[in-house]
Amino acid sequence: MQLSLKRPIVFFDLETTGINVVNDRIVELSYLKVFPDGEEEQKVMRFNPGREIPAEATAVHGITNDDVKNKPLFKDYAKTFAQILEGCDIAGFNSNKFDVPMLAEEFLRADVDFDFRRHKMVDVQVIFHKMERRTLSAAYKFYCGQELVGAHGAAADTRATYEVLKAQLDRYQDAEYEENKRVSKPIVNDIDALSAFSSHNRDVDFAGRIIYNDKNQEVFNFGKHKGKLVSEVLAVEPSYYSWMMNGEFALDTKRVMTQLKVKYSGK
């Protein structure tokens, strides 16, 4: 089934020096931009991360320090990629929990102000895990009937993610899904619905340190104040803000906390 698109959608995949969005960096980016008329645009780029690529990371994606030593830094490409994403919906495999937070950090480090929250985001892995609960290679074999050649290469993973989403639409167009004793038919060929269905929590920041509760209020999702309202914690323990600003938190999380501090304190 072909995607029903109101806007272009960009499938993207990152290969990195590791999985810590604060400390690790992008070494490879692949994107596949699909337009409403079916036209496609695909590109793969590698970057010098400005640090050593650990052997355990190379073991996953196969990219060595020598492969990228003469490549540009991501910050030199960040503005261009932000322009490619502008006006588009965004999709990936585990993208809501890893690729989007990592890319958001790299944009901030490059002083590129890109607001992912203005874009619909579809995480194909979430759809897969809710309906079948496996990995991308298994998803590709399950939905598309083929072995995924070149798994953990950004280009192969990006193309596979696009093909899996189309196959999911075919497979689940009449399927029912039950969550919290409520039955619905969420797998419809509509990016807004797919974005809503493939969300994990109602995250305020990309790292999920702060989430919305059922009253649409911001609450902490970690540590000693987990489950408490951000507004209340800032009121009774204002030093918690400074602790977070000086701690090893994602730049996006710190930006959100600053916005909430201004919202609730007026300064």
Side-chain angles (χ1 to χ4, degrees):
M1 179 184 295
Q2 294 301 311
L3 296 182
S4 176
L5 300 176
K6 301 171 186 174
R7 298 166 293 278
I9 185 168
V10 178
F11 293 80
F12 82 100
D13 184 74
L14 305 177
E15 303 302 336
T16 63
T17 58
I19 60 174
N20 186 314
V21 299
V22 175
N23 297 318
D24 285 307
R25 300 292 186 269
I26 296 172
V27 296
E28 184 174 86
L29 180 152
S30 171
Y31 75 86
L32 171 63
K33 189 171 187 177
V34 183
F35 295 85
D37 63 2
E39 181 184 350
E40 298 177 5
E41 170 187 315
Q42 185 167 21
K43 191 171 184 179
V44 182
M45 293 139 291
R46 287 185 174 178
F47 304 99
N48 185 332
R51 63 188 56 197
E52 292 292 308
I53 302 174
E56 54 268 28
T58 297
V60 173
H61 50 57
I63 301 171
T64 67
N65 291 295
D66 285 342
D67 291 333
V68 296
K69 65 181 180 181
N70 296 319
K71 299 296 183 181
L73 300 174
F74 178 80
K75 69 177 183 179
D76 298 324
Y77 180 72
K79 186 175 294 186
T80 297
F81 192 54
Q83 291 171 346
I84 290 169
L85 294 176
E86 194 60 49
C88 299
D89 297 315
I90 299 171
F93 196 86
N94 193 34
S95 49
N96 287 353
K97 285 298 183 184
F98 179 70
D99 299 270
V100 167
M102 176 66 76
L103 184 58
E105 287 295 292
E106 290 280 42
F107 277 156
L108 288 170
R109 280 189 283 265
D111 292 323
V112 173
D113 186 13
F114 185 86
D115 187 358
F116 281 95
R117 296 170 181 87
R118 294 191 293 105
H119 301 254
K120 295 295 182 182
M121 293 184 286
V122 179
D123 191 330
V124 175
Q125 186 194 61
V126 176
I127 298 173
F128 182 42
H129 284 181
K130 282 186 173 181
M131 305 303 292
E132 306 295 343
R133 303 184 186 278
R134 300 193 186 181
T135 63
L136 178 57
S137 294
Y140 190 67
K141 184 174 183 179
F142 181 84
Y143 290 109
C144 304
Q146 302 176 53
E147 297 291 339
L148 177 53
V149 178
H152 297 301
D157 287 358
T158 304
R159 170 64 63 176
T161 300
Y162 173 47
E163 298 296 336
V164 166
L165 179 56
K166 292 193 293 180
Q168 286 175 331
L169 292 172
D170 284 326
R171 185 176 184 88
Y172 299 126
Q173 58 184 315
D174 296 318
E176 292 186 342
Y177 174 76
E178 180 176 333
E179 186 172 35
N180 298 326
K181 298 183 179 180
R182 298 175 61 185
V183 176
S184 60
K185 293 183 178 181
I187 308 298
V188 295
N189 197 352
D190 177 84
I191 297 300
D192 290 355
L194 290 170
S195 176
F197 183 63
S198 62
S199 297
H200 287 279
N201 294 314
R202 299 176 62 222
D203 295 336
V204 181
D205 67 317
F206 292 124
R209 298 287 191 166
I210 305 166
I211 63 175
Y212 291 108
N213 63 14
D214 56 5
K215 295 180 180 179
N216 214 37
Q217 299 167 306
E218 302 93 349
V219 299
F220 286 110
N221 193 36
F222 74 100
K224 67 178 183 179
H225 292 309
K226 184 172 182 179
K228 296 181 182 178
L229 294 175
V230 173
S231 58
E232 293 180 355
V233 173
L234 290 176
V236 301
E237 191 181 337
S239 62
Y240 199 68
Y241 169 80
S242 298
W243 175 77
M244 289 189 66
M245 290 302 102
N246 293 319
E248 193 172 282
F249 291 92
L251 294 175
D252 176 67
T253 301
K254 293 180 179 181
R255 181 168 67 170
V256 167
M257 273 300 297
T258 298
Q259 291 169 343
L260 293 176
K261 181 177 183 290
V262 171
K263 176 180 177 181
Y264 290 117
S265 68
K267 59 184 178 178

